[in-house]
Coordinates of all heavy atoms in Angstrom, one line a residue:
L508 N -9.4 -24.7 -52.8 CA -10.4 -24.4 -51.7 C -10.4 -25.4 -50.5 O -10.4 -24.9 -49.4 CB -11.8 -24.4 -52.4 CG -13.0 -24.0 -51.4 CD1 -12.8 -22.6 -50.8 CD2 -14.3 -24.2 -52.1
P509 N -10.4 -26.7 -50.7 CA -10.5 -27.5 -49.5 C -9.2 -27.4 -48.6 O -9.3 -27.5 -47.4 CB -10.6 -29.0 -50.1 CG -10.2 -28.9 -51.5 CD -10.5 -27.5 -51.9
Y510 N -8.1 -27.2 -49.3 CA -6.8 -27.0 -48.5 C -6.8 -25.7 -47.8 O -6.3 -25.6 -46.6 CB -5.6 -27.1 -49.5 CG -5.5 -28.4 -50.2 CD1 -5.9 -28.6 -51.5 CD2 -5.0 -29.5 -49.5 CE1 -5.8 -29.8 -52.1 CE2 -4.9 -30.8 -50.1 CZ -5.3 -30.9 -51.4 OH -5.2 -32.1 -52.0
A511 N -7.4 -24.6 -48.4 CA -7.5 -23.3 -47.7 C -8.4 -23.5 -46.5 O -8.1 -22.9 -45.4 CB -8.0 -22.3 -48.7
K512 N -9.5 -24.2 -46.6 CA -10.4 -24.4 -45.5 C -9.7 -25.1 -44.4 O -9.8 -24.7 -43.2 CB -11.6 -25.1 -45.9 CG -12.6 -24.3 -46.8 CD -13.8 -25.0 -47.2 CE -14.8 -24.2 -47.9 NZ -16.0 -24.9 -48.3
K513 N -8.9 -26.1 -44.7 CA -8.2 -26.9 -43.7 C -7.1 -26.0 -43.0 O -7.0 -26.1 -41.8 CB -7.5 -28.1 -44.3 CG -8.5 -29.2 -44.7 CD -7.7 -30.4 -45.3 CE -8.7 -31.5 -45.7 NZ -8.0 -32.7 -46.3
A514 N -6.4 -25.2 -43.8 CA -5.4 -24.4 -43.2 C -5.9 -23.3 -42.3 O -5.4 -23.1 -41.2 CB -4.6 -23.7 -44.4
V515 N -7.0 -22.7 -42.7 CA -7.7 -21.7 -41.9 C -8.2 -22.3 -40.6 O -8.1 -21.7 -39.5 CB -8.7 -20.9 -42.7 CG1 -9.6 -20.0 -41.8 CG2 -8.1 -20.1 -43.8
A516 N -8.9 -23.4 -40.8 CA -9.4 -24.1 -39.6 C -8.3 -24.5 -38.6 O -8.5 -24.3 -37.4 CB -10.2 -25.4 -40.0
L517 N -7.2 -24.9 -39.1 CA -6.1 -25.3 -38.3 C -5.5 -24.1 -37.5 O -5.2 -24.1 -36.4 CB -5.0 -26.0 -39.1 CG -3.8 -26.5 -38.3 CD1 -4.2 -27.5 -37.3 CD2 -2.7 -27.1 -39.2
Q518 N -5.4 -23.0 -38.3 CA -4.9 -21.7 -37.7 C -5.9 -21.3 -36.6 O -5.4 -20.9 -35.5 CB -4.8 -20.6 -38.7 CG -4.2 -19.3 -38.1 CD -4.5 -18.1 -38.9 OE1 -5.6 -18.0 -39.5 NE2 -3.6 -17.1 -38.9
E519 N -7.2 -21.3 -36.8 CA -8.1 -20.9 -35.8 C -8.1 -21.9 -34.6 O -8.2 -21.4 -33.4 CB -9.5 -20.9 -36.4 CG -9.7 -19.8 -37.4 CD -11.1 -19.9 -38.1 OE1 -11.8 -21.0 -37.9 OE2 -11.5 -18.9 -38.8
E520 N -7.8 -23.1 -34.8 CA -7.7 -24.1 -33.8 C -6.5 -23.9 -32.9 O -6.6 -23.8 -31.6 CB -7.6 -25.5 -34.3 CG -7.6 -26.6 -33.3 CD -7.5 -28.0 -33.9 OE1 -7.9 -28.2 -35.1 OE2 -7.0 -28.9 -33.2
Y521 N -5.3 -23.6 -33.5 CA -4.1 -23.4 -32.7 C -4.2 -22.0 -32.0 O -3.7 -21.9 -30.8 CB -2.9 -23.6 -33.5 CG -2.2 -22.3 -34.1 CD1 -1.6 -21.4 -33.3 CD2 -2.3 -22.2 -35.5 CE1 -1.0 -20.3 -33.9 CE2 -1.7 -21.0 -36.1 CZ -1.1 -20.1 -35.3 OH -0.5 -19.0 -35.9
Q522 N -4.8 -21.0 -32.6 CA -5.0 -19.7 -32.0 C -5.8 -19.8 -30.7 O -5.6 -19.2 -29.7 CB -5.6 -18.7 -32.9 CG -4.6 -18.2 -34.0 CD -5.2 -17.3 -35.0 OE1 -6.4 -17.3 -35.2 NE2 -4.4 -16.4 -35.6
E523 N -6.9 -20.6 -30.8 CA -7.8 -20.8 -29.7 C -7.0 -21.6 -28.6 O -7.2 -21.3 -27.4 CB -9.0 -21.6 -30.1 CG -10.0 -22.0 -29.0 CD -10.5 -20.8 -28.2 OE1 -10.5 -19.7 -28.7 OE2 -11.0 -21.0 -27.0
A524 N -6.2 -22.6 -29.0 CA -5.4 -23.4 -28.0 C -4.4 -22.5 -27.3 O -4.3 -22.6 -26.0 CB -4.7 -24.5 -28.7
V525 N -3.8 -21.6 -28.0 CA -2.8 -20.7 -27.4 C -3.6 -19.7 -26.5 O -3.1 -19.4 -25.4 CB -2.1 -19.9 -28.5 CG1 -1.3 -18.7 -27.9 CG2 -1.1 -20.8 -29.3
R526 N -4.7 -19.2 -26.9 CA -5.5 -18.3 -26.0 C -5.9 -19.0 -24.7 O -5.7 -18.4 -23.7 CB -6.8 -17.9 -26.8 CG -7.6 -16.8 -26.0 CD -9.0 -16.7 -26.6 NE -9.8 -17.9 -26.4 CZ -10.3 -18.3 -25.2 NH1 -10.1 -17.5 -24.1 NH2 -11.0 -19.4 -25.1
R527 N -6.3 -20.2 -24.8 CA -6.7 -20.9 -23.6 C -5.5 -21.2 -22.7 O -5.6 -21.1 -21.5 CB -7.4 -22.3 -23.9 CG -8.8 -22.2 -24.5 CD -9.5 -23.5 -24.5 NE -8.7 -24.6 -25.1 CZ -8.8 -24.9 -26.4 NH1 -9.7 -24.3 -27.2 NH2 -8.1 -25.9 -26.9
E528 N -4.4 -21.5 -23.3 CA -3.2 -21.8 -22.5 C -2.7 -20.5 -21.8 O -2.3 -20.5 -20.6 CB -2.1 -22.4 -23.4 CG -0.8 -22.8 -22.6 CD -1.1 -23.9 -21.7 OE1 -2.1 -24.7 -21.8 OE2 -0.3 -24.0 -20.7
L529 N -2.7 -19.4 -22.5 CA -2.3 -18.1 -21.9 C -3.2 -17.7 -20.8 O -2.8 -17.2 -19.8 CB -2.2 -17.1 -23.0 CG -1.1 -17.2 -24.0 CD1 -1.2 -16.1 -25.1 CD2 0.3 -17.1 -23.3
E530 N -4.5 -18.0 -21.0 CA -5.5 -17.6 -20.0 C -5.2 -18.5 -18.7 O -5.3 -18.0 -17.6 CB -6.9 -17.9 -20.5 CG -8.0 -17.5 -19.6 CD -9.4 -17.7 -20.2 OE1 -9.8 -18.9 -20.2 OE2 -10.0 -16.8 -20.6
L531 N -4.9 -19.8 -19.0 CA -4.6 -20.7 -17.9 C -3.4 -20.2 -17.1 O -3.3 -20.2 -15.9 CB -4.5 -22.1 -18.4 CG -4.3 -23.2 -17.3 CD1 -5.5 -23.3 -16.4 CD2 -4.0 -24.5 -18.0
L532 N -2.3 -19.9 -17.9 CA -1.1 -19.4 -17.3 C -1.2 -18.2 -16.5 O -0.6 -18.0 -15.4 CB 0.0 -19.2 -18.4 CG 0.5 -20.5 -19.0 CD1 1.5 -20.1 -20.2 CD2 1.3 -21.4 -18.0
N533 N -2.1 -17.3 -16.9 CA -2.3 -16.0 -16.2 C -3.2 -16.2 -15.0 O -3.2 -15.3 -14.1 CB -2.9 -15.0 -17.2 CG -1.9 -14.5 -18.2 OD1 -0.7 -14.5 -18.0 ND2 -2.4 -14.2 -19.4
T534 N -3.9 -17.3 -14.9 CA -4.8 -17.4 -13.7 C -4.5 -18.6 -12.8 O -4.9 -18.6 -11.7 CB -6.3 -17.6 -14.2 OG1 -6.3 -18.8 -15.1 CG2 -6.8 -16.4 -15.0
T535 N -3.6 -19.5 -13.3 CA -3.2 -20.6 -12.5 C -1.8 -20.5 -12.1 O -0.9 -20.2 -12.9 CB -3.3 -21.9 -13.3 OG1 -4.7 -22.1 -13.7 CG2 -2.9 -23.1 -12.5
L536 N -1.5 -20.6 -10.8 CA -0.2 -20.6 -10.2 C 0.4 -22.0 -10.2 O -0.2 -22.9 -9.6 CB -0.2 -20.0 -8.8 CG -0.5 -18.5 -8.7 CD1 -0.6 -18.1 -7.3 CD2 0.5 -17.6 -9.5
V537 N 1.6 -22.1 -10.8 CA 2.3 -23.4 -10.7 C 3.3 -23.2 -9.6 O 4.2 -22.3 -9.7 CB 3.0 -23.7 -12.0 CG1 3.8 -25.0 -11.9 CG2 2.0 -23.8 -13.2
I538 N 3.1 -24.0 -8.5 CA 4.0 -23.8 -7.3 C 4.7 -25.1 -7.0 O 4.0 -26.2 -6.9 CB 3.2 -23.4 -6.1 CG1 2.4 -22.0 -6.4 CG2 4.0 -23.2 -4.9 CD1 1.6 -21.5 -5.3
G539 N 6.0 -25.1 -7.0 CA 6.8 -26.2 -6.7 C 7.0 -26.4 -5.2 O 7.1 -25.4 -4.5
V540 N 7.1 -27.6 -4.8 CA 7.3 -27.9 -3.4 C 8.4 -29.0 -3.2 O 8.5 -29.8 -4.0 CB 6.0 -28.3 -2.7 CG1 5.0 -27.2 -2.6 CG2 5.4 -29.6 -3.3
L541 N 9.1 -28.9 -2.0 CA 10.1 -29.9 -1.7 C 9.3 -31.2 -1.4 O 8.1 -31.2 -1.0 CB 11.0 -29.5 -0.6 CG 10.4 -29.2 0.8 CD1 11.6 -29.0 1.8 CD2 9.5 -27.9 0.8
R542 N 10.0 -32.3 -1.4 CA 9.3 -33.6 -1.3 C 8.6 -33.9 0.0 O 7.6 -34.5 0.1 CB 10.3 -34.8 -1.6 CG 10.8 -34.8 -3.0 CD 11.4 -36.1 -3.4 NE 11.7 -36.2 -4.8 CZ 12.8 -35.9 -5.4 NH1 13.8 -35.5 -4.7 NH2 13.0 -36.0 -6.7
R543 N 9.2 -33.3 1.1 CA 8.6 -33.5 2.4 C 7.8 -32.2 2.8 O 7.9 -31.7 3.9 CB 9.6 -33.8 3.5 CG 10.3 -35.2 3.3 CD 11.2 -35.5 4.5 NE 10.4 -35.7 5.7 CZ 9.8 -36.8 6.1 NH1 9.9 -37.9 5.3 NH2 9.1 -36.9 7.2
W544 N 7.0 -31.7 1.9 CA 6.4 -30.4 2.0 C 5.3 -30.5 3.1 O 4.9 -29.5 3.7 CB 5.8 -30.0 0.7 CG 4.8 -30.8 0.1 CD1 4.9 -32.1 -0.3 CD2 3.5 -30.5 -0.3 NE1 3.8 -32.6 -0.9 CE2 2.9 -31.6 -0.9 CE3 2.7 -29.3 -0.2 CZ2 1.6 -31.6 -1.4 CZ3 1.4 -29.3 -0.7 CH2 0.8 -30.5 -1.3

């Protein structure tokens, strides 16, 4: 039981992290610029 709870909590944690990151990637533009921009 305690290991199952930890495993499920970890899965939920990484799924939420992935969701936030994908949301950020879809709404934030990463734009590169030359040094004397």
Side-chain angles (χ1 to χ4, degrees):
L508 182 62
Y510 298 102
K512 288 182 176 179
K513 288 180 182 179
V515 170
L517 183 61
Q518 184 202 32
E519 292 174 347
E520 183 180 337
Y521 94 73
Q522 286 177 335
E523 175 60 19
V525 170
R526 185 196 66 76
R527 289 197 305 267
E528 185 63 23
L529 289 175
E530 184 179 77
L531 184 65
L532 288 173
N533 288 329
T534 58
T535 300
L536 290 176
V537 179
I538 303 180
V540 294
L541 63 170
R542 291 196 172 97
R543 295 188 63 85
W544 62 299

